[in-house]
Amino acid sequence: MRNEEIESSDDNELPSSAPRVGRKYGPVVAHDNDPVVLEMSSFDRGSSSNNKVKTTIQPNKPAGARDESDPNDKEVNGEHPESKLELFGFDSLVNILGLKSMTGEPIPVPTSPRGREDSSGAHHPTSSSVVKSGTMMGVFIPCLQNILGIIYYIRFSWIVGMAGIGGSLAVVALCGLCTFLTSVSLSAIATNGAMKGGGPYYLIGRALGPEVGVSIGLCFFLGNAVAGSMYVLGAVETFLNAVPKAGLFRETITQVNGTAVAEPITTPSLHDLQLYGIIVTIILVFIVFGGVKMINKVAPAFLIPVLFSLLCIFVGIFAARKDNPSVGITGMSLKSFRDNWGSAYQKTNNAGIPDPNGEIYWHFNALVGLFFPAVTGIMAGSNRSSSLKDTQRSIPIGTLAATLTTTFMYFISVFLFGSVATREKLFTDRLLTATIAWPSSAIIYIGIILSTLGAALQSLTGAPRLLAAIANDDILPVLNYFKVADGSEPHIATFFTAFLCIACVVIGNLDLISPTITMFYLLCYAGVNLSCFLLDLLDAPSWRPRWKFHHWSLSLFGATLCIVIMFLISWSFTVVSLALVSLIYYYVSIKGKAGDWGDGFKSAYFQLALRSLRSLGASNVHPKNWYPIPLIFCRPWGKLPENVPCHPKLADFANCMKKKGRGMSIFVDILDGDYQDCAEDAKTACKNLATYIEYKRCEGVAEIVVAPTMSDGFRGIVQTMGLGNLKPNIVVLRYPEIWRRENLTEIPATFVGIINDCIVANKAVVIVKGLDEWPNEYQRQYGTIDLYWIVRDGGLMLLLSQLLLTKEMFESCKIQVFCIAEEDSDAEELKADVRKFLYDLRMQAEVIVISMKTWDLKGDGNTQDDSVEAFSAAQKRIKNYLAEMKDQAEREGKPLSANGKNVVVNEQQVEKFLYTTLKLNSTIMNYSRMAAVVLVSLPPPPVNHPSYFYMEYMDLLVENIPRLLIVRGYRKDVVTLFT
């Protein structure tokens, strides 16, 4: 039966190059590389038979092959079986999904945060015959095998001798508590949904975001790669101690001063460790290239020697006799227990042998770093989530059982090792476990070698797959070389891991490698705890883990404990590790591709935004806290080029209304039509508009509204857009300069209606004339910014001029404020008042007061000839328009009307308005011909005047002014005199 999935109309999958005709946008098209596509058309009220179904043959089926038992074949051939759920308009979930999610059959899920994009380019069907593991073999045993490593065999007794029994108990308790709390957090996150490949990287990335996930994931990869070298060195050192003649170079002989041990103390040569380590690493890499199947076949062979060697160690401890003991072995002795209770921190050489002239001084913090790798490995079960029968049950029980079992064993071992040998023996016998083992030390040697080689093999197997999982998510472009297809082996990543492992083997010092691994693992554990803390604290509706025994305070304490342990071990290593994570995070945030995994930070931002919105309330914003929130009206008064959703300069102007980029702009557009018919077009248009905003580097959001007409759509926008005090407070639109040239007779009524709607809704208005000439960020302007301040606007015009000065393009300009006064006004007093007002507002500007003769047009010789010509033409057009209105009213026997509304025309008032705009235009041309930008107050549309008349007034006002902002404030102050 073919696997079919419903393809929803996800906004993130809309093609950026969708065809566009006029203001229409192309429909959603399916991706060709999807293996199975089911495209559902819009709901048909009449029948569900109109649903469009498109299926493609899976890659493993030959073309034309068809399963006769597939009930969906009838629909493919155009035949629709009767459905009891026909009322709902589409096929039931049983028919489409086949109850895959309920029967446990996996449904193909995209591995990339960008939806169905798959970096592999192909889907591979999963077989239902795959054997699933339970809690014991799938989680508990792998965790136990990874936790019980080389540190316990060849360093634990030495740690007991150095820290004493009391100090060793503290070391074990501190490390065990850290991993226990991490296991609790891991259990909560792992039971909150299905897990995929990547282990802790997958968990952290989906909780804290791609940047944090990639940063910690790469560090965890380095930790696994370095851990492989540690296991290799442990196996080689054990082999050379068991077979000294195998060494090619001379052994190092060290005598401990003041000890009663008679035998000379030998340690393998550093060159032998390096040589054999490189050879063993190369052999393990060849095994890894054999594939996971080969590794899984030999995995049980690595576990049995570990368990048997532990049994031999404990039997040997209790079998040790006092009457015939080995040198330094006292058997279970109370005297040894008392002697070894306290610590004996001292200097040692690089081999760990006590030496007063040694280079390394061991203390509690250093021992924590040395021992911590012995408690790692709790992620082994979560890494195998895809092969578990019941992930939500097995991971918590298996991981916590392995953690508690090994921690309890470490506590018991502290007491046993501290009671069975003298301190000198604990110091000098690096393989005390082999010395006391029963019946023969050879069993311990074999067990150590096999267990460490198995752990090294697991590290060399897991680390490349972790790196490949990070690369396949396609977040970091530099990792594209490590991508692999589904089911393929990560050969390139394996080579890279082997290179890192060999580089660490060349160091040859196990005690220097161990703290490095500790830092990387602690970073990973801190990330897991922080992930659980964030998800638990936010408590989003999707946070429903089956594991109930968790609390955000425990996760926070666990994360803090991880960071504290890092600084206890080595503040220098900690700083370097945190710097590495920060560097990777910064690189990913700059170079990485955007991905949305629904991480906890997005939920935190959402809740913070809601809380901030509630705290703002619905009351008026104080002028000191006022920010412009412009509503950018993208609907052009004409046609734009194809696939251009907005005028290219609108975003540049929107950025000029923000100080240092802070603030939000809302870009809106209106599609004419019915919402049900144009819903998909609106989604496509919204995506294109959002892409434009991002391309112009403008902080804002895109909104598309479908309405029968532009006026209806804008009226709905101005009433409903925004929430609380985050509603847009300024409407920005382009002046319709083309309406007369292209004879667009419907524009005057629409334009006037928009301005009246803004006045009624108490929104400020900024109309941009000469938008095509507006400079971009690279075009520096010189001259002045001239303000013609005519009416009180709450200080909006003054504030806009100050915001313009903060931009590089206008920073060389100066501000001039022109105050328009009547002829009989006291110009000097007005000038002094305005200067004092600007001084109190901390604004530097030159104040100029102009007296205007409103009626005496002929008496003023400064009027420009072009303005007079435009004035005469406007008079003539208004008279003709008024005559047509009167003729139509007489024919219909109705009062004067325009655009379906009754109007009252006072011809004397019309002349007065024309003269006023003419004088203002002439004044601007006289004083501001060379200004970088001019700001002038917007006159409101006169009541009961035809819209055509108002457009004539406005055309006369803006005549011959290349770059003009027409501003109208609202009934709120946006500036204040007080601090």
Side-chain angles (χ1 to χ4, degrees):
M1 183 175 181
R2 293 192 300 269
N3 296 329
E4 296 183 346
E5 63 181 42
I6 302 178
E7 181 184 40
S8 62
S9 57
D10 190 355
D11 295 347
N12 294 331
E13 298 178 12
L14 298 176
S16 58
S17 60
R20 178 171 179 255
V21 180
R23 300 299 295 175
K24 297 292 184 180
Y25 294 84
V28 180
V29 296
H31 293 290
D32 295 335
N33 58 353
D34 284 347
V36 180
V37 179
L38 181 68
E39 185 177 305
M40 301 180 65
S41 63
S42 58
F43 175 69
D44 187 356
R45 297 176 178 81
S47 172
S48 65
S49 62
N50 291 331
N51 292 338
K52 296 180 291 184
V53 180
K54 175 186 175 183
T55 57
T56 61
I57 306 299
Q58 289 214 5
N60 61 336
K61 283 192 176 185
R66 184 172 63 90
D67 190 353
E68 296 296 338
S69 62
D70 192 345
N72 293 327
D73 286 340
K74 295 181 179 181
E75 298 186 20
V76 176
N77 295 330
E79 301 176 11
H80 296 266
E82 294 184 2
S83 173
K84 297 180 180 179
L85 299 176
E86 186 176 1
L87 172 64
F88 292 92
F90 48 81
D91 290 334
S92 66
L93 294 178
V94 177
N95 292 339
I96 293 182
L97 297 181
L99 294 180
K100 295 182 180 64
S101 59
M102 301 180 186
T103 59
E105 184 178 351
I107 299 175
V109 180
T111 59
S112 171
R114 276 150 297 280
R116 291 185 179 87
E117 276 186 331
D118 192 351
S119 58
S120 64
H123 293 266
H124 298 271
T126 58
S127 175
S128 59
S129 62
V130 176
V131 179
K132 300 289 185 178
S133 302
T135 303
M136 179 63 68
M137 296 303 299
V139 180
F140 179 75
I141 296 302
C143 288
L144 196 66
Q145 185 177 9
N146 280 267
I147 293 174
L148 295 175
I150 185 65
I151 298 296
Y152 178 79
Y153 288 103
I154 67 176
R155 291 294 184 270
F156 193 69
S157 60
W158 183 87
I159 292 174
V160 174
M162 186 66 69
I165 296 176
S168 300
L169 291 176
V171 171
V172 174
L174 186 64
C175 298
L177 179 62
C178 178
T179 55
F180 174 75
L181 293 177
T182 304
S183 299
V184 173
S185 300
L186 173 66
S187 301
I189 302 176
T191 58
N192 191 50
M195 286 181 55
K196 297 190 297 181
Y201 156 72
Y202 180 85
L203 297 177
I204 297 172
R206 269 60 179 179
L208 300 182
E211 294 85 0
V212 179
V214 171
S215 303
I216 297 181
L218 287 177
C219 288
F220 190 64
F221 157 75
L222 292 176
N224 277 275
V226 176
S229 64
M230 184 189 71
Y231 295 133
V232 169
L233 287 176
V236 172
E237 183 177 346
T238 304
F239 171 72
L240 293 176
N241 283 326
V243 188
K245 295 182 179 180
L248 302 179
F249 300 90
R250 185 177 180 181
E251 296 176 329
T252 302
I253 302 176
T254 305
Q255 181 68 39
V256 181
N257 297 331
T259 182
V261 180
E263 299 89 351
I265 303 169
T266 61
T267 55
S269 170
L270 176 62
H271 300 298
D272 283 333
L273 291 176
Q274 295 170 338
L275 179 61
Y276 280 102
I278 293 174
I279 295 174
V280 171
T281 304
I282 293 175
I283 295 174
L284 292 177
V285 169
F286 277 108
I287 296 176
V288 171
F289 274 106
V292 178
K293 293 182 179 180
M294 179 182 296
I295 298 172
N296 290 338
K297 289 180 180 178
V298 299
F302 296 117
L303 177 62
I304 296 175
V306 174
L307 300 178
F308 186 70
S309 62
L310 291 176
L311 179 62
C312 293
I313 291 172
F314 289 116
V315 171
I317 290 176
F318 289 102
R321 298 180 180 275
K322 291 184 179 181
D323 53 353
N324 188 22
S326 301
V327 178
I329 302 297
T330 63
M332 296 299 295
S333 170
L334 185 59
K335 182 179 182 301
S336 298
F337 180 85
R338 288 196 300 266
D339 294 341
N340 295 330
W341 177 260
S343 61
Y345 301 125
Q346 56 188 292
K347 292 183 177 181
T348 67
N349 58 18
N350 291 334
I353 304 300
D355 184 358
N357 300 321
E359 300 177 357
I360 303 175
Y361 178 77
W362 291 96
H363 46 81
F364 178 82
N365 298 347
L367 293 180
V368 171
L370 177 62
F371 174 73
F372 193 84
V375 297
T376 59
I378 59 176
M379 301 293 180
S382 62
N383 290 338
R384 305 186 179 195
S385 58
S386 59
S387 61
L388 297 177
K389 292 180 181 178
D390 190 353
T391 305
Q392 321 247 340
R393 179 178 181 273
S394 298
I395 289 181
I397 296 176
T399 304
L400 287 171
T403 302
L404 294 176
T405 300
T406 52
T407 303
F408 176 76
M409 189 199 71
Y410 288 147
F411 277 120
I412 297 299
S413 299
V414 169
F415 289 104
L416 295 180
F417 286 140
S419 303
V420 79
T422 63
R423 191 179 295 273
E424 288 77 6
K425 187 65 173 178
L426 294 174
F427 276 146
T428 57
D429 195 347
R430 304 294 294 272
L431 282 171
L432 180 64
T433 53
T435 303
I436 63 177
W438 181 89
S440 172
S441 60
I443 298 176
I444 303 302
Y445 286 113
I446 296 174
I448 294 175
I449 293 173
L450 290 179
S451 62
T452 50
L453 290 180
L457 190 62
Q458 293 296 332
S459 296
L460 292 175
T461 303
R465 281 157 178 77
L466 175 60
L467 183 60
I470 299 175
N472 284 342
D473 273 339
D474 202 21
I475 296 296
L476 207 56
V478 74
L479 298 179
N480 289 340
Y481 300 101
F482 303 110
K483 285 184 178 181
V484 293
D486 292 343
S488 302
E489 294 293 327
H491 296 308
I492 299 179
T494 302
F495 274 120
F496 183 67
T497 305
F499 172 77
L500 294 179
C501 185
I502 291 176
C504 294
V505 166
V506 172
I507 297 177
N509 193 330
L510 185 62
D511 296 333
L512 293 179
I513 294 176
S514 180
T516 306
I517 303 171
T518 302
M519 294 299 169
F520 291 140
Y521 275 97
L522 281 169
L523 276 176
C524 178
Y525 294 167
V528 172
N529 283 297
L530 284 176
S531 301
C532 186
F533 161 72
L534 183 62
L535 295 174
D536 210 356
L537 185 65
L538 297 175
D539 199 17
S542 61
W543 176 247
R544 300 184 305 275
R546 294 183 180 274
W547 180 257
K548 302 300 181 182
F549 304 100
H550 63 90
H551 193 265
W552 64 265
S553 59
L554 293 178
S555 300
L556 179 61
F557 178 70
T560 305
L561 185 60
C562 291
I563 302 299
V564 169
I565 292 177
M566 291 177 66
F567 279 99
L568 285 178
I569 295 172
S570 173
W571 68 267
S572 58
F573 272 99
T574 301
V575 171
V576 171
S577 301
L578 294 177
L580 178 61
V581 172
S582 302
L583 184 63
I584 298 175
Y585 179 91
Y586 179 76
Y587 180 78
V588 174
S589 61
I590 297 299
K591 299 293 184 180
K593 297 181 181 180
D596 187 5
W597 290 334
D599 53 86
F601 280 132
K602 297 293 178 62
S603 180
Y605 296 152
F606 182 77
Q607 292 197 21
L608 182 62
L610 292 179
R611 184 168 300 180
S612 301
L613 185 61
R614 290 195 300 268
S615 64
L616 287 176
S619 58
N620 293 337
V621 179
H622 194 276
K624 290 191 296 184
N625 300 324
W626 189 89
Y627 284 86
I629 306 178
L631 180 72
I632 313 297
F633 190 35
C634 301
R635 182 70 177 263
W637 307 106
K639 294 182 180 181
L640 287 174
E642 188 176 357
N643 293 328
V644 177
C646 184
H647 193 287
K649 293 297 183 68
L650 267 180
D652 294 331
F653 178 75
N655 284 328
C656 291
M657 300 181 68
K658 303 173 185 177
K659 185 177 181 179
K660 297 181 180 179
R662 290 191 293 265
M664 181 182 68
S665 302
I666 304 176
F667 289 76
V668 297
D669 198 357
I670 301 172
L671 295 184
D672 297 338
D674 182 73
Y675 176 69
Q676 294 185 1
D677 297 334
C678 301
E680 293 301 323
D681 293 343
K683 291 181 181 179
T684 306
C686 188
K687 181 184 177 183
N688 292 341
L689 185 56
T691 304
Y692 160 79
I693 298 172
E694 182 179 359
Y695 169 74
K696 299 295 289 186
R697 293 180 295 177
C698 181
E699 291 186 359
V701 295
E703 294 290 344
I704 301 296
V705 175
V706 180
T709 63
M710 183 192 296
S711 299
D712 294 338
F714 184 82
R715 191 167 292 118
I717 290 173
V718 80
Q719 292 182 77
T720 61
M721 189 67 67
L723 294 171
N725 271 327
L726 287 183
K727 291 183 177 180
N729 46 33
I730 301 177
V731 176
V732 178
L733 66 156
R734 182 186 181 188
Y735 185 78
E737 304 173 47
I738 65 171
W739 76 278
R740 192 190 312 281
R741 183 174 66 249
E742 298 189 11
N743 195 26
L744 301 176
T745 56
E746 74 280 359
I747 285 183
T750 304
F751 182 71
V752 172
I754 290 176
I755 296 177
N756 286 328
D757 290 341
C758 293
I759 295 174
V760 173
N762 195 25
K763 306 289 185 184
V765 182
V766 176
I767 302 173
V768 186
K769 193 264 183 180
L771 188 61
D772 295 335
E773 305 298 328
W774 192 261
N776 57 35
E777 56 183 337
Y778 305 108
Q779 296 174 330
R780 184 176 294 271
Q781 302 297 304
Y782 299 93
T784 60
I785 299 176
D786 293 349
L787 282 65
Y788 287 82
W789 195 16
I790 301 175
V791 297
R792 180 180 180 272
D793 59 358
L796 178 60
M797 188 182 298
L798 297 173
L799 184 61
L800 287 178
S801 65
Q802 294 297 316
L803 292 176
L804 290 177
L805 284 182
T806 62
K807 304 302 175 183
E808 292 185 4
M809 64 187 80
F810 292 109
E811 64 181 2
S812 300
C813 298
K814 296 181 179 180
I815 297 179
Q816 293 184 144
V817 178
F818 294 85
C819 298
I820 310 299
E822 298 291 342
E823 187 177 18
D824 56 352
S825 298
D826 189 349
E828 292 299 325
E829 183 179 355
L830 177 61
K831 185 175 183 179
D833 292 341
V834 173
R835 280 182 175 177
K836 179 64 169 56
F837 181 71
L838 295 178
Y839 177 80
D840 292 337
L841 288 177
R842 293 87 62 199
M843 295 182 180
Q844 294 183 356
E846 181 182 358
V847 180
I848 302 174
V849 178
I850 300 175
S851 297
M852 289 187 59
K853 293 181 179 180
T854 310
W855 287 92
D856 189 8
L857 176 63
K858 298 180 181 179
D860 190 354
N862 294 327
T863 306
Q864 303 294 321
D865 293 337
D866 294 341
S867 299
V868 174
E869 183 179 350
F871 173 78
S872 301
Q875 277 185 319
K876 183 177 180 180
R877 287 192 297 269
I878 287 178
K879 290 181 180 179
N880 295 335
Y881 187 83
L882 182 59
E884 293 178 1
M885 289 175 54
K886 291 180 178 179
D887 292 343
Q888 183 178 0
E890 291 178 358
R891 289 195 303 268
E892 297 178 355
K894 296 180 180 179
L896 290 178
S897 63
N899 303 117
K901 297 181 180 179
N902 294 335
V903 296
V904 177
V905 178
N906 185 335
E907 297 186 22
Q908 185 179 9
Q909 189 179 40
V910 172
E911 290 289 324
K912 178 181 179 181
F913 289 162
L914 283 176
Y915 283 150
T916 301
T917 54
L918 172 63
K919 294 297 294 182
L920 183 56
N921 176 266
S922 299
T923 303
I924 294 175
M925 295 301 296
N926 287 333
Y927 289 94
S928 305
R929 183 180 293 273
M930 302 303 295
V933 61
V934 177
L935 287 80
V936 65
S937 299
L938 171 69
V943 180
N944 296 329
H945 272 226
S947 302
Y948 182 86
F949 289 7
Y950 183 74
M951 289 303 299
E952 290 289 355
Y953 307 152
M954 293 300 298
D955 280 354
L956 189 57
L957 174 63
V958 304
E959 182 73 22
N960 296 325
I961 303 176
R963 195 179 296 155
L964 178 67
L965 301 182
I966 314 172
V967 182
R968 180 173 181 82
Y970 59 125
R971 296 183 295 273
K972 294 179 182 178
D973 290 332
V974 298
V975 294
T976 179
L977 303 177
F978 305 101
T979 182

